[in-house]
Amino acid sequence: MLAQIVASQDQRSNVTPTSSYQQGDSTSSRVNRFLQLDLPVFTGTNPEKDPQDFIDEMHKTLRVMRATGTEVVELASYRLKEVAYSWFELWEESREEGSPPARWGLSPLVINEAATTALNSDMNYGKMVAFVQAIETRKLRN
């Protein structure tokens, strides 16, 4: 995977940059390059798989690609499958019209609450996501 990223970076460096990323680097070409990488898939169905491993791998790759916060969410969603992708679709549909673009990571407003709740042995990934979203929404409204 690292070799693919380096090769991709090398190809991009042969083009003269003319914008904050590169002129002519269309969204579809960035998506195609991203999809060609051998990145992990997250399904949300295997309790043995740590979601943090998926997040860390996506973060490293997308940082090298110089993806914006919004692009990170959009590109990472391509690697969500099964239950995880169903959750993502429901989450997107539940967002109010005019909401700011989704960005990667937790809001600093909810990190402490999430860490405390994670210690609860009855908490799984789906419950944690719902909990964090509810807390963040409540705090943003206040």
Side-chain angles (χ1 to χ4, degrees):
M1 179 177 67
L2 184 57
Q4 290 173 337
I5 293 170
V6 171
S8 176
Q9 285 288 63
D10 186 44
Q11 289 173 345
R12 283 188 288 222
S13 67
N14 291 332
V15 177
T16 305
T18 57
S19 69
S20 63
Y21 190 68
Q22 288 182 5
Q23 178 125 6
D25 191 23
S26 70
T27 301
S28 62
S29 67
R30 291 188 76 175
V31 169
N32 286 332
R33 279 199 308 272
F34 177 78
L35 293 175
Q36 289 172 358
L37 298 173
D38 185 28
L39 296 170
V41 168
F42 184 71
T43 64
T45 59
N46 183 348
E48 301 297 317
K49 289 217 172 191
D50 184 358
Q52 190 63 48
D53 294 337
F54 172 79
I55 291 168
D56 292 344
E57 199 62 33
M58 288 296 108
H59 180 72
K60 287 188 298 188
T61 301
L62 294 165
R63 185 180 61 224
V64 168
M65 290 180 68
R66 295 186 182 120
T68 66
T70 303
E71 289 173 328
V72 166
V73 172
E74 293 168 350
L75 290 170
S77 73
Y78 278 94
R79 304 306 296 170
L80 300 175
K81 306 291 181 205
E82 299 175 20
V83 173
Y85 189 72
S86 295
W87 165 82
F88 181 75
E89 284 182 312
L90 288 171
W91 174 78
E92 276 189 318
E93 291 171 7
S94 72
R95 299 188 72 215
E96 294 179 16
E97 193 169 320
S99 295
R103 298 186 57 85
W104 186 260
L106 287 177
S107 164
L109 299 171
V110 299
I111 290 174
N112 288 336
E113 287 87 346
T116 302
T117 303
L119 297 174
N120 182 344
S121 62
D122 195 28
M123 190 61 66
N124 64 26
Y125 180 74
K127 289 179 182 178
M128 178 59 79
V129 168
F131 173 79
V132 168
Q133 286 177 328
I135 294 292
E136 187 171 45
T137 299
R138 184 178 44 114
K139 288 188 175 208
L140 288 172
R141 284 185 183 153
N142 291 338

